[in-house]
Amino acid sequence: MKDGKTPSNRMRFVSAEQVARRAGVSRSAVSRTFTPGASVAPATREKVLRAAEELGYHVNDLARGVLNNQSRLVGIVATKPEVGFRAYLTAALSKALIRRGSVPILINTGQTEEELLAAQKTLIGHRAEATIILSGSPPASFFELAKRNGQPVVMIGRSEPDADHVHAGNSEASIEAARLLIRAGRRRLAFAGSHSATPSILERQIAFVAEVEYHGLSVAIAHGPDSDYESGVMAGRALLAESERPDAVFCANDLIAFGVMDVLRREGNLHIPGDIAVIGFDDVPQAAWLNYGLTTFRQDPVVMAQRAVDLLERRIADPDGEPGRERVVPEIVVRDSFTPLD
């Protein structure tokens, strides 16, 4: 400003020096008060905390992180974090990290090596404490760079030899889906999946097909390009075009199941589950909507997020320990689209 005055809209955070003046103590006494484990007289601590409350002071974690060469930032790297189950998992992770005292930073990236490495360099440049990955298959260089910088990496939904990871019990749920459908007398089975071929989608398809074939039956397979509703519509149309229409379909996730169900009803004039049973995977909130009533396998995003944070804590406490592995097996939630026999 030409008159030398400070603009009224400029941010002016309360400083530790202001707290020290209000409390009548030294600047270092304020620092010790807000440093865990530091020695400070009870009377001094009380003065500092009272002054901080009156002024609305909060510790400058960014500055503290610079001094310690580490911040409380934890990166969440995800592709399409707004879609399907990943949206609820991202939200649960953010909440779990905030409860821990971390600052979650979401990086919406792709699955290419270049995009993932760019995300990692950003996080390391900001001295992020750790990275949690929900997407892509990071190259070896990703982990090498993280290891050189002492940054823990936790994977969710995929595994790497040198990383801690949380897995859903994809194969266990898929095998159970096959057995329940066969036990209910369904014999023309199908799988609706995705050409995206993520590790989780592949694991579900392989386990389901293997279990069905073990019982001497075959599986019609229909894929869309991605793991979303539109791909479910495409898969549903492909199943309707089968020479022998399936009487049951296991879908790789709920979004695909919704697309399949809408096509079967609107374009195939089929009754669910009378003409064809449908099972999904994830149990997103829409699965309980009256229009769907989808029987599905529930992944609990809160449980998976907490397991990831627990692995992070374990890695920070023991940087050289063996990689941690957590497996969360989904449980079936029975609704209208398929009712197993007792």
Side-chain angles (χ1 to χ4, degrees):
M1 300 291 289
K2 291 183 179 179
D3 57 7
K5 295 181 180 179
T6 302
S8 60
N9 63 346
R10 181 176 177 181
M11 287 191 299
R12 294 186 294 270
F13 293 106
V14 177
S15 68
E17 187 63 39
Q18 289 173 287
V19 175
R21 287 199 300 268
R22 172 67 70 92
V25 300
S26 67
R27 169 66 177 76
S28 62
V30 175
S31 178
R32 292 197 304 276
T33 297
F34 290 100
T35 300
S39 176
V40 59
T44 299
R45 181 186 299 277
E46 184 178 349
K47 289 180 183 178
V48 170
L49 293 177
R50 185 185 308 117
E53 179 68 24
E54 292 170 355
L55 293 171
Y57 170 76
H58 290 275
V59 175
N60 187 339
D61 286 322
L62 180 60
R64 180 169 290 182
V66 171
L67 290 174
N68 295 330
N69 201 33
Q70 185 181 65
S71 70
R72 296 292 287 177
L73 297 177
V74 174
I76 301 174
V77 179
T79 299
K80 297 182 180 179
E82 75 282 3
V83 175
F85 176 74
R86 199 176 297 124
Y88 302 99
L89 179 55
T90 300
L93 275 171
S94 298
K95 291 179 181 178
L97 289 168
I98 289 171
R99 286 196 302 270
R100 177 181 178 265
S102 300
V103 180
I105 176 172
L106 174 63
I107 295 184
N108 184 352
T109 186
Q111 298 186 7
T112 68
E113 179 175 341
E114 293 75 14
E115 288 170 319
L116 286 164
L117 287 175
Q120 184 191 30
K121 289 176 181 177
T122 297
L123 292 171
I124 289 178
H126 285 80
R127 298 298 187 265
E129 184 180 20
T131 299
I132 299 175
I133 299 177
L134 281 67
S135 59
S137 298
S141 54
F142 190 104
F143 297 98
E144 291 169 4
L145 183 58
K147 188 174 182 180
R148 287 199 300 270
N149 286 273
Q151 186 189 66
V153 176
V154 178
M155 311 288 292
I156 299 182
R158 63 202 70 244
S159 60
E160 295 292 337
D162 297 325
D164 301 306
H165 57 264
V166 179
H167 269 303
N170 296 303
S171 58
E172 294 94 326
S174 302
I175 290 170
E176 183 179 355
R179 291 174 178 174
L180 291 173
L181 290 170
I182 293 170
R183 191 179 305 149
R186 308 286 175 158
R187 292 295 180 268
R188 303 186 307 277
L189 306 184
F191 179 85
S194 165
H195 286 303
S196 62
T198 65
S200 294
I201 296 294
L202 279 177
E203 187 178 354
R204 293 166 199 172
Q205 177 175 328
I206 291 170
F208 181 77
V209 171
E211 183 65 20
V212 172
E213 291 180 343
Y214 173 79
H215 289 272
L217 302 173
S218 60
V219 180
I221 297 176
H223 286 155
D226 210 334
S227 302
D228 54 14
Y229 175 85
E230 290 74 15
S231 293
V233 169
M234 295 176 64
R237 287 171 178 161
L239 293 177
L240 284 179
E242 288 283 330
S243 58
E244 188 175 20
R245 176 182 53 76
D247 61 4
V249 56
F250 176 49
C251 301
N253 66 23
D254 290 349
L255 295 185
I256 291 174
F258 299 151
V260 168
M261 292 174 76
D262 284 345
V263 166
L264 295 178
R265 286 169 172 160
R266 294 176 62 88
E267 300 180 14
N269 295 316
L270 298 176
H271 177 264
I272 298 173
D275 296 321
I276 182 168
V278 180
I279 299 178
F281 198 109
D282 282 339
D283 195 30
V284 298
Q286 296 89 333
W289 288 5
L290 294 177
N291 194 50
Y292 293 114
L294 177 64
T295 294
T296 185
F297 285 88
R298 174 170 173 74
Q299 292 197 86
D300 191 327
V302 174
V303 170
M304 297 189 75
Q306 190 56 55
R307 297 285 182 89
V309 172
D310 290 344
L311 286 175
L312 173 59
E313 293 278 12
R314 192 185 311 168
R315 176 59 54 203
I316 291 172
D318 185 12
D320 299 320
E322 291 296 315
R325 296 175 175 84
E326 295 283 345
R327 195 166 184 89
V328 182
V329 179
E331 295 185 356
I332 193 167
V333 178
V334 177
R335 297 192 180 95
D336 297 336
S337 69
F338 172 67
T339 302
L341 296 178
D342 294 333

